[in-house]
C-alpha cells in the first residue's frame, strides 16, 4: 500500500463528512493526517472550512482501492474513539458519509436487483442510498461508526470497480463533461 505511484493509475474517493469530525481526523497540528499518509502512502486533502458546522469534503487518493480504504478507515479512528469515550456524540440514526460518485460507481454500489446494497445491509449492518439525479451522483452510507468503518473497504472496492469506466454517457446531468472518467 505504501508504494504510491505518481500520476496515472491513481484511484481516489471524495466524501463529505460532518464538519465536527475534521479536527479529530487531522489531529493536533495535522499529526494524525500526516501519520495516516505516511503509514499508507495515500494522499489526503481536506480543504479549509468555509462556515461552522458545514459538511467538509475529504479526498483520499492512492495507488489502489485497498490503500485508499485503509487510509479512510485509519483517518476515522479518532472520530470512532471520541464517540466511544463520549467526547463526541454519535447521531442516534447513525453516522453518515456521503461519497461523490462517478456514474459507473452508482451501479457498482447497488448491484443488480440491489444485490450489493442487500449484502451491505446483511453483512455489515450498513444502509446505502444513491442519488444519480444530481449533477454529481452521490452515495450516502448510514450506520453506527463501527459498522461504517467495517464496511468501508467493501464499499470502496465496489466504487473502484466503476472508477474511470468509459461505457457511460460523456456528460453529467447538468450538461458538463466528465474529466476523462477520472473526476469532475
Amino acid at each position: 500500500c505504501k508504494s504510491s505511484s505518481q500520476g496515472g493509475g491513481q484511484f481516489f474517493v471524495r466524501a463529505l463528512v460532518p464538519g465536527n469530525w475534521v479536527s479529530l481526523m487531522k489531529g493536533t497540528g495535522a499529526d494524525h493526517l500526516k501519520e495516516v499518509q505516511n503509514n499508507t502512502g495515500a494522499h489526503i486533502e481536506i480543504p479549509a472550512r468555509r462556515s461552522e458546522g458545514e459538511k467538509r469534503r475529504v479526498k483520499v487518493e492512492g495507488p489502489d482501492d485497498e490503500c485508499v480504504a485503509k487510509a479512510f478507515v485509519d483517518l476515522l479512528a479518532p472520530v470512532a474513539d471520541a464517540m466511544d469515550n463520549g467526547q463526541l456524540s454519535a447521531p442516534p440514526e447513525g453516522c453518515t458519509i456521503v461519497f461523490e460518485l462517478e456514474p459507473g460507481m452508482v451501479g457498482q454500489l447497488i448491484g443488480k436487483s440491489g444485490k450489493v446494497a442487500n449484502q451491505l445491509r446483511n453483512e455489515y449492518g450498513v444502509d446505502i442510498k444513491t442519488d444519480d439525479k444530481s449533477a454529481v451522483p452521490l452515495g450516502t452510507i448510514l450506520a453506527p461508526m463501527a459498522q461504517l468503518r467495517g464496511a468501508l473497504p467493501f464499499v470502496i472496492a465496489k466504487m473502484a470497480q466503476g472508477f474511470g469506466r468509459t461505457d457511460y454517457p460523456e456528460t453529467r446531468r447538468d450538461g458538463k463533461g466528465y474529466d476523462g472518467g477520472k473526476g469532475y
Side-chain angles (χ1 to χ4, degrees):
C1 183
K2 274 195 73 125
S3 61
S4 177
S5 62
Q6 297 296 325
Q10 294 284 78
F11 171 71
F12 66 86
V13 295
R14 283 186 294 239
L16 301 171
V17 300
N20 62 340
W21 291 9
V22 173
S23 63
L24 295 166
M25 293 167 71
K26 285 183 172 181
T28 305
D31 286 346
H32 181 68
L33 180 92
K34 292 173 189 171
E35 179 183 339
V36 171
Q37 290 182 130
N38 288 335
N39 290 342
T40 64
H43 176 74
I44 301 165
E45 296 174 19
I46 304 175
R49 174 178 37 189
R50 293 195 184 111
S51 66
E52 194 66 36
E54 75 175 21
K55 290 209 179 268
R56 301 277 297 278
R57 177 177 282 123
V58 176
K59 180 180 179 185
V60 181
E61 182 175 15
D64 56 38
D65 60 286
E66 289 179 17
C67 179
V68 169
K70 176 161 180 28
F72 215 115
V73 169
D74 290 354
L75 199 57
L76 290 174
V79 177
D81 291 345
M83 288 179 181
D84 288 345
N85 65 29
Q87 291 177 316
L88 181 66
S89 60
E93 70 278 5
C95 300
T96 303
I97 294 181
V98 179
F99 287 99
E100 296 177 350
L101 307 172
E102 289 188 2
M105 293 176 178
V106 174
Q108 296 297 331
L109 285 177
I110 298 302
K112 190 172 186 172
S113 301
K115 183 178 178 183
V116 173
N118 289 333
Q119 184 178 1
L120 272 169
R121 191 173 306 107
N122 295 335
E123 290 183 25
Y124 298 98
V126 172
D127 283 322
I128 186 160
K129 294 179 178 26
T130 58
D131 175 7
D132 62 352
K133 306 276 188 269
S134 60
V136 176
L138 303 173
T140 303
I141 300 174
L142 176 67
M145 181 57 80
Q147 285 95 319
L148 185 85
R149 289 181 68 216
L152 277 176
F154 178 82
V155 169
I156 291 173
K158 288 296 179 184
M159 289 170 62
Q161 291 173 1
F163 187 75
R165 294 204 32 196
T166 58
D167 55 344
Y168 290 91
E170 293 293 320
T171 57
R172 304 184 322 191
R173 291 191 185 273
D174 63 1
K176 296 179 182 175
Y178 289 102
D179 181 18
K182 297 294 182 196
Y184 303 110

